[in-house]
Amino acid sequence: MSDEEGRFDSVLFAMAEQHPGGVPELLATIAAFLNRKTDFFTGGGNWKKMLMDIFSVEGDKAEALEAEKRRQREAVEKKRQEALQRKRKEEEESAKKQESSAAITELTDEEAEKLQREIEKERNAIDDDTTVSQPVDDDDDVDEKEKGKLKPNSGNGCDLEKYRWTQTLQEVELRVPLNVNFSVRSRDVVVKIGKKTLTVGLKGQEPIINGELCAEVKMEESVWVIQDKNHLQLNFEKVNQMSWWDRLLTTDPPISTRKINPEPSKLSDLDGETRSLVEKMMYDQRQKEMGLPTSDEQNKQNILKKFMEQHPEMDFSKCKFN
C-alpha cells in the first residue's frame, strides 16, 4: 500500500470508531453524505457500476493478499510436518538399532576363558570314543527333561551300534564301519545325501542307515570318502549353524545337548562375529537354565521401559506384556 492510499486512514479510523454497527453503518453514513451533499446518485452517472468497479478492485487485492498468506502458512506447516517425520524416522531407526544390538557386552579374553571354565565344570565327564554313549545319570540334580538322554561322546555326538557321529556348530562328521573283510571301493557302496535324508550301505544289501536327518544339511557341501579300506566317512555342513543336533536321525535316541562340550579352541581365537554369536548363545543358555530372561528378552524389556518413561500420560496398568 502506498502512502497516497493511506493518507486518510487516521480520519477513516476515527469515523469507524464512531460507528458501533461496524462497516455497514460506516458505509451507510458515507452514502447519506453523498446523497445530501453531492449529486452522486442523480448526476446521470451509473453509480452502481462505479461502486462495483471500485469495490471489485479492492476485493481482488484483499483476496490475493489472503491467498499469499494462506500459501505461506501451508509452506510453514509442510516444513513442520517434514521435520516431525524426520524426527520420528530417526527415533524408529534408533530403536531398531538398540533392538538388534546385543544385550550383553563383549567379553575380554580373561572373562571368556573364565566363562568357558565355569561351563566345563558343569559338564559331566565324557565317555571314551570307543564305547557306546551312556544315559545321563538319573539323580535328583538332573532335570526331568534330561533323564534318559545319552551323554554326548567326546566329539559332541553319539556312539551307536552301527555308526558314530560327531559335530561342531558348523558341521557333522559320520563314520560308518562296513564290517567286511575286503577292500571296499566306491562302486561297492551306496551313499545318498538329501537335504534332510540319508542312505548309506553296501550294494545288494540292506542299508546300514536309511532315514530322515534331524535337521537340514547343505547337499552341495556334503562329501564322503572311504577310510581304512572298510570305513565310510561322511561330512555334512549344517544349514542352521547356531544350534547343536541332539541326534543324527530322527529315530535315534537323543543326546543331552546341555552336556555338550564346546570346541576346545578358546573363544579369543574366534573371529569377532563368530565369537559374539557363541558368547550370546552361551549367555542365553545360562540365563534359561537359571530361569532368567535371555539377551533378546532383556533388550525388549529395556525398549518397553524407555517407551513407558517417554509417555507418562499413557496408562499401562491394564496392559499384558509377554
Side-chain angles (χ1 to χ4, degrees):
M1 181 179 67
S2 64
D3 293 339
E4 183 67 19
E5 289 178 326
R7 64 195 178 106
F8 296 113
D9 285 355
S10 59
V11 176
L12 293 172
F13 272 127
M15 290 178 60
E17 290 176 352
Q18 302 300 317
H19 292 78
V23 173
E25 188 175 339
L26 175 61
L27 291 177
T29 298
I30 294 174
F33 168 76
L34 293 174
N35 183 34
R36 288 183 291 103
K37 300 296 181 180
T38 71
D39 62 350
F40 176 75
F41 296 107
T42 60
N46 190 342
W47 61 271
K48 292 182 179 179
K49 182 178 183 303
M50 185 186 301
L51 286 177
M52 288 299 300
D53 290 344
I54 293 173
F55 275 83
S56 293
V57 170
E58 296 302 322
D60 290 344
K61 290 180 181 180
E63 290 176 353
L65 180 61
E66 180 60 26
E68 176 62 20
K69 290 180 179 179
R70 189 185 308 113
R71 186 191 65 78
Q72 293 178 356
R73 288 196 299 269
E74 290 174 351
V76 171
E77 178 63 18
K78 182 180 179 181
K79 290 182 179 179
R80 189 180 74 85
Q81 290 295 334
E82 290 175 348
L84 287 174
Q85 290 179 359
R86 285 196 300 271
K87 183 178 179 181
R88 191 178 298 114
K89 185 177 180 180
E90 291 173 357
E91 291 176 348
E92 290 175 354
E93 291 177 351
S94 176
K96 288 180 180 179
K97 289 180 180 179
Q98 290 180 2
E99 185 175 358
S100 61
S101 63
I104 56 175
T105 56
E106 185 176 353
L107 302 178
T108 64
D109 292 345
E110 292 77 11
E111 290 172 334
E113 291 178 3
K114 182 179 178 181
L115 178 58
Q116 191 165 336
R117 286 196 301 270
E118 290 177 356
I119 292 175
E120 289 174 353
K121 288 180 180 178
E122 296 174 359
R123 311 288 185 184
N124 288 347
I126 305 301
D127 289 347
D128 186 82
D129 291 353
T130 58
T131 63
V132 174
S133 298
Q134 299 296 317
V136 173
D137 293 338
D138 190 11
D139 55 39
D140 295 337
D141 295 332
V142 178
D143 191 302
E144 285 293 330
K145 295 180 181 180
E146 296 297 303
K147 289 183 178 180
K149 292 184 178 181
L150 302 179
K151 292 181 181 178
N153 59 25
S154 60
N156 299 325
C158 188
D159 297 330
L160 298 174
E161 184 178 354
K162 294 183 178 181
Y163 54 86
R164 177 182 189 271
W165 64 276
T166 60
Q167 67 174 321
T168 65
L169 278 174
Q170 292 76 34
E171 64 178 10
V172 173
E173 181 177 296
L174 170 64
R175 287 182 63 85
V176 183
L178 298 176
N179 298 322
V180 293
N181 55 7
F182 60 89
S183 298
V184 177
R185 297 184 181 182
S186 58
R187 65 189 181 191
D188 300 321
V189 301
V190 175
V191 177
K192 296 180 181 179
I193 303 172
K195 192 172 184 179
K196 205 179 176 184
T197 58
L198 178 64
T199 301
V200 178
L202 290 167
K203 286 184 178 179
Q205 299 184 20
E206 284 292 321
I208 300 172
I209 298 175
N210 186 24
E212 180 181 359
L213 295 169
C214 80
E216 295 182 355
V217 299
K218 299 179 181 179
M219 293 186 294
E220 65 278 7
E221 301 297 332
S222 300
V223 296
W224 63 272
V225 295
I226 298 174
Q227 292 279 0
D228 302 325
K229 299 181 180 181
N230 59 3
H231 280 71
L232 285 178
Q233 178 177 315
L234 297 85
N235 291 83
F236 317 111
E237 185 172 337
K238 298 178 180 178
V239 171
N240 180 2
Q241 300 188 349
M242 292 297 296
S243 64
W244 298 102
W245 286 16
D246 68 343
R247 66 195 78 192
L248 180 73
L249 301 180
T250 56
T251 53
D252 288 347
I255 64 171
S256 173
T257 55
R258 287 177 55 178
K259 294 185 177 298
I260 281 179
N261 188 28
E263 290 87 338
S265 59
K266 296 179 180 179
L267 290 176
S268 57
D269 295 335
L270 302 175
D271 63 82
E273 183 178 359
T274 304
R275 171 175 169 170
S276 177
L277 290 173
V278 173
E279 288 173 349
K280 184 175 184 296
M281 288 176 60
M282 295 165 66
Y283 175 84
D284 288 346
Q285 182 63 35
R286 290 171 61 83
Q287 290 291 96
K288 288 180 179 179
E289 292 176 358
M290 294 185 291
L292 299 175
T294 63
S295 56
D296 291 335
E297 293 169 342
Q298 287 178 334
N299 199 36
K300 290 179 181 178
Q301 291 176 4
N302 292 336
I303 293 175
L304 177 60
K305 181 180 179 181
K306 183 177 180 181
F307 179 81
M308 293 173 68
E309 291 175 348
Q310 291 175 342
H311 299 276
E313 75 282 1
M314 298 179 67
D315 182 12
F316 297 92
S317 60
K318 297 183 180 180
C319 295
K320 295 182 179 180
F321 303 106
N322 295 328

